[in-house]
Amino acid sequence: MQTKAFTSARPQRMATLKAQRATSVAVRATAAPAVVPTPSSASASSEDPLMLRALRGDKVERPPVWMMRQAGRYQKVYQELCKKHPTFRERSERVDLAVEISLQPWHAFKPDGVILFSDILTPLPGMNIPFDMAPGPIIMDPIRTMEQVEKVTKLDSEAACPFVGESLRQLRSYIGNQAAVLGFVGAPFTLATYIVEGGSSKNFAHIKKMAFSTPEVLHALLDKLADNVADYVRYQADAGAQVVQIFDSWASELQPQDFDVFSGPYIKKVIDSVRKTHPNLPIILYISGSGGLLERMAAAQPDIISLDQSVDFTDGVRRCGTNFAFQGNMDPGVLFGSKEFIEKRVMDTIKAARTAGVRHVMNLGHGVLPGTPEDHVGHYFHVARTAHERM
């Protein structure tokens, strides 16, 4: 019954999305943060960042471009900063450092999207789930019983993560309309994998044991997480995030029929909840290794489907439909190749999106890899920014 309920709403949502895109974005005035009064908060404008214009279907000469994990470990300036500030939580939870790191790729490459430097686990302490990074994530008290689930609290984002809100406000103020400011969250299932496993996992034995032996416990946890994630999305939007990406990093570890039970419905719950209060906030859905889940991603009805490199772009559009915008999906490993090869692959991706007739955000199929040459990253951005001259 859950699977049927999850998938049957798709045609209605497709019609709703079409209607939303045809409606003036003046509605955004009721959802946008009063603390960031910019022209794009009140109405659609040619002065809005390129990404927002492209996503709502305005005619643009080229697709906007950014990269997942564009702020961080491949940049020498970040590596130098880490020597002075060695812990991840300090770097991501001190406003001055989070803003500085978020802006490092902006200063270097001028992407069309500036994403907050943070982590999907950042809000967990506000749910009574302590964690640390040492250097990978560690959940001090993994949750594996209903009694523990009952102790998970409602998230008050401003009380738990004021540094996130302030960082977004400062980024929005600094960037203005030169680029879109992006926030992000973890999907309920991916958050649950860390919470139940106690950190990263290779085989996900604990959460699968819970799913298949005590599913009522996992559903109770996922339901609380979905409510909290939706509130966290709203908080980021109210603080200045103009686009929010949902990462379901580990959903592809589920067999598709189990995705329909333990992941998809809770992604959709987050999206539906956010749209009740922020109907014009563009929401991106990204799942690593999503080749077997594309139709199910579409059923969750995000505004933008982010394709990873396991999927042929044209095939991804065919499987999901042209009602969506698409993001992606160049293999990040291409950035280790020659500049001529990088140019070819960037243009192949952009041409595939143009041929498919869909709104497109140029991105990688996964985060940029450690050790990627910075000048190759710069060339990726240069090619994408001048794509209209290369057609």
Side-chain angles (χ1 to χ4, degrees):
M1 293 299 292
Q2 274 185 303
T3 303
K4 183 177 180 181
F6 172 50
T7 57
S8 62
R10 183 182 175 188
Q12 180 181 358
R13 177 59 189 152
M14 294 305 100
T16 304
L17 279 174
K18 286 182 178 179
Q20 282 182 346
R21 286 167 192 142
T23 302
S24 168
V25 248
V27 181
R28 185 177 305 213
T30 63
V35 293
V36 195
T38 65
S40 63
S41 302
S43 61
S45 166
S46 61
E47 300 301 316
D48 286 346
L50 175 65
M51 186 180 296
L52 297 187
R53 291 185 281 121
L55 289 176
R56 69 178 175 237
D58 291 4
K59 186 176 181 179
V60 293
E61 64 181 9
R62 64 169 178 86
V65 57
W66 69 286
M67 288 193 320
M68 287 183 280
R69 292 188 177 175
Q70 68 186 14
R73 52 195 180 181
Y74 71 99
Q75 284 193 286
K76 290 181 181 178
V77 64
Y78 175 77
Q79 295 163 13
E80 289 300 314
L81 185 146
C82 290
K83 294 176 182 177
K84 298 178 182 178
H85 306 282
T87 68
F88 179 86
R89 291 194 65 177
E90 180 191 12
R91 296 192 296 272
S92 62
E93 297 180 14
R94 259 184 57 176
V95 172
D96 59 332
L97 296 180
V99 171
E100 179 182 351
I101 294 167
S102 301
L103 289 173
Q104 285 173 348
W106 164 255
H107 294 311
F109 310 118
K110 291 296 186 290
D112 296 304
V114 174
I115 191 165
L116 174 68
F117 181 78
S118 186
D119 192 83
I120 62 172
L121 302 185
T122 293
L124 291 190
M127 307 179 204
N128 195 30
I129 306 173
F131 83 98
D132 205 352
M133 294 283 190
I138 298 175
I139 304 297
M140 283 63 164
D141 187 15
I143 292 178
R144 295 171 187 168
T145 67
M146 187 65 81
E147 183 181 11
Q148 290 175 296
V149 171
E150 290 170 355
K151 294 178 181 177
V152 176
T153 58
K154 180 174 175 57
L155 176 66
D156 180 340
S157 298
E158 181 58 36
C161 314
F163 48 87
V164 168
E166 182 57 25
S167 296
L168 286 166
R169 282 186 285 272
Q170 290 191 22
L171 286 172
R172 183 79 178 270
S173 176
Y174 187 91
I175 295 296
N177 284 337
Q178 297 177 84
V181 173
L182 290 90
F184 68 94
V185 296
F189 178 77
T190 284
L191 292 179
T193 65
Y194 290 104
I195 293 166
V196 174
E197 295 290 336
S200 301
S201 178
K202 292 183 178 179
N203 54 27
F204 300 91
H206 290 293
I207 195 164
K208 290 196 175 184
K209 178 181 179 182
M210 181 184 288
F212 303 139
S213 63
T214 56
E216 68 280 2
V217 177
L218 182 53
H219 281 300
L221 176 60
L222 290 167
D223 200 54
K224 284 191 169 187
L225 290 173
D227 289 338
N228 284 338
V229 168
D231 286 343
Y232 192 43
V233 172
R234 278 187 278 268
Y235 175 70
Q236 292 188 31
D238 290 342
Q242 295 161 290
V243 181
V244 174
Q245 179 156 314
I246 300 173
F247 286 88
D248 207 349
S249 307
W250 303 118
S252 61
E253 295 293 328
L254 290 167
Q255 195 169 354
Q257 69 195 69
D258 299 316
F259 176 92
D260 289 340
V261 177
F262 297 111
S263 181
Y266 295 100
I267 296 172
K268 191 169 189 304
K269 182 178 181 181
V270 171
I271 293 172
D272 288 348
S273 177
V274 171
R275 285 210 175 101
K276 290 177 182 177
T277 55
H278 295 66
N280 294 100
L281 176 71
I283 298 174
I284 305 169
L285 176 59
Y286 173 79
I287 297 177
S288 180
S290 58
L293 299 172
L294 290 184
E295 293 83 358
R296 289 165 165 86
M297 291 175 70
Q301 298 167 7
D303 297 291
I304 306 101
I305 293 175
S306 191
L307 302 175
D308 82 340
Q309 69 267 24
S310 70
V311 180
D312 175 81
F313 196 98
T314 302
D315 189 46
V317 172
R318 179 187 61 78
R319 290 170 59 187
C320 295
T322 57
N323 289 304
F324 301 95
F326 288 85
Q327 178 174 271
N329 69 331
M330 193 181 87
D331 186 334
V334 168
L335 295 174
F336 289 103
S338 68
K339 291 184 177 180
E340 292 76 16
F341 187 62
I342 293 169
E343 178 175 347
K344 179 181 184 304
R345 285 299 186 88
V346 170
M347 293 307 301
D348 284 350
T349 306
I350 291 173
K351 288 174 182 177
R354 175 168 289 194
T355 299
V358 293
R359 291 159 294 133
H360 178 224
V361 176
M362 182 65 204
N363 207 316
L364 305 179
H366 196 276
V368 61
L369 299 171
T372 300
E374 288 187 60
D375 63 321
H376 287 202
V377 172
H379 190 63
Y380 159 87
F381 280 111
H382 172 71
V383 172
R385 278 197 305 269
T386 56
H388 58 290
E389 300 171 3
R390 300 167 190 268
M391 291 294 189

